[in-house]
Amino acid sequence: MFSFRRKPPPTSPSEHDRNERIARLAKETFDLLIIGGGITGAAIARDAALRGLSAALIEKGDFASGTSSRSSKLVHGGLRYLKGRHVRLVRESLRERGVLLKIAPHLVEPAAFLLPVYAGGRDGRLKLRLGLTAYDLLAGFGGDIGRHSVLTREQLLDAEPLLRPEGLQGGFRYFDCVVNDARLTLATLRSAVEDGALALNYVEATGLQRDGDRITGIAFRDRLGGKEGTARAGVVVNATGPWTDRLREMMGLKRMLTPTKGIHLVLSHSRLALSSIVVIPRADRILFAVPCGDSVYVGTTDTFFEDDPGTAAVDTADASYVLDAVNALFPDVRATARDVVAGWAGVRPLVAAEGSPLPSDVSRDYEIELGPEGLYSIAGGKLTTCRAMAEALLNRVIEREGPRLGWQTKACRTAETPLFGGNIDGFDRYALSAAGALAGGWNLPADSAQRLVRTYGTEHVRLLGVARRDATLLQPLAEGCPVLRVEAVYAAEQEMAMTLQDFMERRTELMLFDPQHGLDGAEQAANLMGDVLGWSRQERQRQVSLYREAVVRMTAFAKEGAAVPAGEG
Ligand code: FAD
């Protein structure tokens, strides 16, 4: 049953604010108009705003609802790319790992990775040792997070008793980082907004506007309110990730991409009880098993994918591949499709390469294309390199367009400027004292306090400000649920969450990593969001039903061997 704790205002502030933002989009002429609210578009909007350009970004779904919430959630150099001799890419990624650790210490977390070596495996111990030494060197002797070490067979089995003992020769421990990809995208975008950018989700670019030979803007449609309009800009950026060629096709431009699909499966931690991230070496590629709260996710795959990226789904072949990999390395687990709690599929916007017969051989580098005049397309790269991609794009755009458009810009400052919530020196110390204060002053359990600081960084203070209105907001969404009620209010008020699924899947990760997918708290969350967003009683019910359907679709695979859809509910 719904309980209406507060009467919804006739027009909610958020709705009013959104209408104003849409009106601004149609009225102003922006220096830069960015299509795509994944990590690439968000990083470009932030860089542009910091350089003093007026920037607007539109996203047809929710922010990060494309590939940027469907990655392996690693900020890493990519050990395996050393093998392909993409040394420049590895060096750049390791440098960017260091930058992200500095500017978003709450979201990017160093983690130990265990790499077991088996007799007859694809890479011998000596080769791996050389590779890891090179990796440490490229990171500046491990950067801030530590150098690799050699482990004996016994040390490995001690650390991870589920590892197959037969043929195990020993292995390595090395360090990389994990990240909440959707929240990294959101924090990047919120930084852009703080610096003056305009950002709108659920607004789709439906066409490009021309003036002679030059692109001067776009046609757009508000997917929530149905309004259509046009927006003008000095430069338009196509940052639509795996959708890049769809927009380019509108202009008759040549393709840029060779997209590939990758999937992850989520198992409960009680089924696959790992203490560290474990690298799963296969003959064709390596996979990662990553512990995450009460769950462990495993992936990924790499297969060419030409369809609409929104339709990418886990299929039986993908799932068998991942489950086979799990069972080969951890034979006592005997995981089957029925053990899969959740899953996701994402499409890599890889740049087309000639003569790459295997998906894994397609470069992870990025490319920027100009054409027609006024339109820049950027694709490829990784979550890890988003900042560097944005910097390269803006350098090029400013050099070519700045004089003609009379821009006065500042130098790039994205490597030194903390991301939203990330202005923290010495994160561990900060987290400890903030969690202590939350436990003492607000009576929050230690794990909730730590979660708040990890998720929101310094912004957790603003959440507490919201909770001052009503002390019950500090209660969990449902009994045993790690997420607090105040987070639903905050998501709708401050984080542009427009649907219950936006909150459940991307503002929090309940949909993927909570054993109940947050369903116990879905009505509560819909009520809290509904109060802010002015949802009627029917709308609240509709949001809960849509979310339930999305969860059923996601878990259908595990129950019936059906596909897991990647798209929105
Ligand atoms: P997207 O995130 O897809 O964003 C593009 C956005 O454009 C979408 O949200 C879409 O809705 C929007 N859009 C499309 N058309 C329109 C339109 N007409 N109007 C408005 N909006 C539109 N990288 C790492 O660094 N570490 C990893 O561990 C890692 N793992 C990965 C694992 C997998 C399985 C995959 C698939 C990728 C992984 N990557 C990883 C790569 C990384 O996730 C991507 O490079 C990155 O997320 C791409 O971001 P993007 O912004 O370019 O694309």
Side-chain angles (χ1 to χ4, degrees):
M1 285 295 279
F2 291 117
S3 66
F4 291 103
R5 295 177 325 100
R6 280 191 297 268
K7 207 171 162 15
T11 310
S12 77
S14 304
E15 195 179 317
H16 177 68
D17 174 54
R18 180 178 162 83
N19 289 339
E20 268 194 356
R21 280 182 287 131
I22 292 178
R24 260 189 74 192
L25 181 67
K27 206 167 103 208
E28 289 176 26
T29 300
F30 295 91
D31 292 331
L32 217 63
L33 201 152
I34 301 143
I35 310 170
I39 194 69
T40 308
I44 294 166
R46 170 175 175 254
D47 195 343
L50 276 170
R51 295 197 203 208
L53 294 171
S54 66
L57 177 148
I58 58 166
E59 161 56 51
K60 74 179 168 69
D62 184 23
F63 303 122
S65 59
T67 310
S68 298
S69 59
R70 301 172 183 284
S71 77
S72 301
K73 307 182 194 297
L74 305 178
V75 165
H76 63 158
L79 188 56
R80 80 177 181 87
Y81 306 128
L82 274 179
K83 201 175 170 188
R85 296 187 181 75
H86 302 292
V87 176
R88 192 196 59 74
L89 177 66
V90 177
R91 189 191 301 119
E92 178 178 57
S93 302
L94 287 169
R95 189 194 66 216
E96 289 303 313
R97 184 185 78 180
V99 171
L100 283 171
L101 263 169
K102 201 170 63 185
I103 65 173
H106 57 310
L107 294 172
V108 181
E109 191 177 1
F113 287 58
L114 293 190
L115 171 55
V117 182
Y118 283 89
R122 63 178 214 160
D123 294 312
R125 270 191 291 183
L126 181 63
K127 193 166 162 196
L128 285 168
R129 179 122 208 227
L130 285 173
L132 283 163
T133 306
Y135 202 64
D136 285 346
L137 271 169
L138 289 172
F141 276 108
D144 284 344
I145 64 175
R147 293 190 213 181
H148 82 274
S149 54
V150 180
L151 298 181
T152 63
R153 179 180 189 277
E154 288 65 36
Q155 284 171 320
L156 269 168
L157 288 172
D158 240 22
E160 297 297 350
L162 286 175
L163 279 172
R164 172 166 56 85
E166 295 84 36
L168 181 62
Q169 296 179 319
F172 301 91
R173 175 182 283 117
Y174 72 95
F175 297 90
D176 251 324
C177 295
V178 288
V179 68
N180 179 330
D181 49 5
R183 288 209 68 93
L184 182 73
T185 307
L186 193 67
T188 307
L189 207 57
R190 292 197 71 195
S191 307
V193 171
E194 286 279 293
D195 284 304
L198 177 76
L200 275 156
N201 51 0
Y202 295 100
V203 172
E204 179 173 11
T206 50
L208 292 158
Q209 306 270 298
R210 256 183 201 274
D211 187 354
D213 288 343
R214 193 172 171 92
I215 298 296
T216 53
I218 58 152
F220 70 82
R221 187 168 65 91
D222 170 14
R223 293 181 71 179
L224 297 180
K227 272 194 211 119
E228 297 194 352
T230 55
R232 288 181 307 271
V235 168
V236 175
V237 179
N238 174 5
T240 54
W243 286 267
T244 299
D245 285 338
R246 282 166 199 262
L247 213 69
R248 288 172 64 81
E249 273 159 18
M250 286 183 194
M251 307 302 301
L253 299 171
K254 73 172 170 51
R255 290 181 54 161
M256 281 179 77
L257 301 185
T258 303
T260 72
K261 182 180 81 167
I263 70 114
H264 292 81
L265 301 180
V266 181
L267 303 169
S268 78
H269 191 265
S270 57
R271 199 81 187 80
L272 181 56
L274 300 180
S275 322
S276 323
I277 299 173
V278 177
V279 181
I280 307 181
R282 301 288 289 170
D284 51 343
R285 58 180 291 108
I286 57 172
L287 286 80
F288 297 98
V290 185
C292 179
D294 291 333
S295 311
V296 175
Y297 65 89
V298 190
T300 181
T301 56
D302 207 352
T303 47
F304 289 122
F305 188 80
E306 290 295 338
D307 298 341
D308 178 350
T311 65
V314 180
D315 62 31
T316 30
D318 300 321
S320 306
Y321 176 89
V322 172
L323 290 171
D324 283 353
V326 168
N327 291 328
L329 194 66
F330 311 109
D332 290 345
V333 173
R334 294 193 188 90
T336 70
R338 289 187 184 281
D339 298 310
V340 179
V341 182
W344 67 88
V347 181
R348 299 176 185 85
L350 303 182
V351 179
E354 275 157 35
S356 291
L358 297 173
S360 314
D361 291 342
V362 183
S363 166
R364 266 52 180 170
D365 223 336
Y366 52 85
E367 225 167 85
I368 299 166
E369 288 225 3
L370 163 65
E373 287 295 330
L375 176 71
Y376 289 77
S377 300
I378 178 162
K382 297 159 65 188
L383 202 71
T384 310
T385 52
C386 65
R387 194 210 61 81
M389 282 171 77
E391 182 176 353
L393 177 107
L394 278 157
N395 286 347
R396 178 142 168 216
V397 169
I398 289 168
E399 189 185 304
R400 191 180 160 93
E401 314 287 345
R404 195 183 62 79
L405 295 165
W407 289 349
Q408 301 287 326
T409 52
K410 299 180 207 139
C412 176
R413 287 188 291 132
T414 49
E416 305 84 52
T417 312
L419 279 194
F420 196 73
N423 195 359
I424 300 166
D425 249 350
F427 181 77
D428 290 343
R429 237 180 316 112
Y430 175 83
L432 209 65
S433 83
L438 287 171
W442 296 82
N443 220 9
L444 275 180
D447 52 345
S448 297
Q450 271 162 19
R451 220 195 110 261
L452 280 190
V453 180
R454 259 279 157 227
T455 311
Y456 302 95
T458 56
E459 271 295 287
H460 79 273
V461 177
R462 224 185 286 205
L463 253 90
L464 296 176
V466 175
R468 270 187 213 286
R469 294 178 212 157
D470 175 354
T472 64
L473 289 176
L474 284 181
Q475 289 173 9
L477 270 183
E479 206 183 320
C481 176
V483 171
L484 306 180
R485 294 177 188 183
V486 66
E487 295 178 67
V489 178
Y490 183 79
E493 277 185 2
Q494 313 268 341
E495 296 188 319
M496 288 184 259
M498 304 302 297
T499 71
L500 183 59
Q501 190 172 341
D502 294 349
F503 173 67
M504 291 293 198
E505 190 176 3
R506 288 170 292 272
R507 302 308 178 279
T508 67
E509 294 182 307
L510 286 174
M511 184 168 175
L512 297 178
F513 298 128
D514 182 67
Q516 311 304 326
H517 312 288
L519 281 168
D520 298 357
E523 288 189 1
Q524 179 72 260
N527 271 334
L528 293 162
M529 290 182 72
D531 285 352
V532 178
L533 297 172
W535 290 343
S536 64
R537 184 188 178 120
Q538 287 76 12
E539 180 59 15
R540 292 166 200 232
Q541 282 167 342
R542 193 180 76 92
Q543 289 289 332
V544 173
S545 306
L546 286 175
Y547 180 61
R548 272 187 204 288
E549 285 165 21
V551 169
V552 168
R553 278 201 304 277
M554 180 181 70
T555 50
F557 167 80
K559 295 189 178 83
E560 298 153 23
V564 182
E568 291 295 296

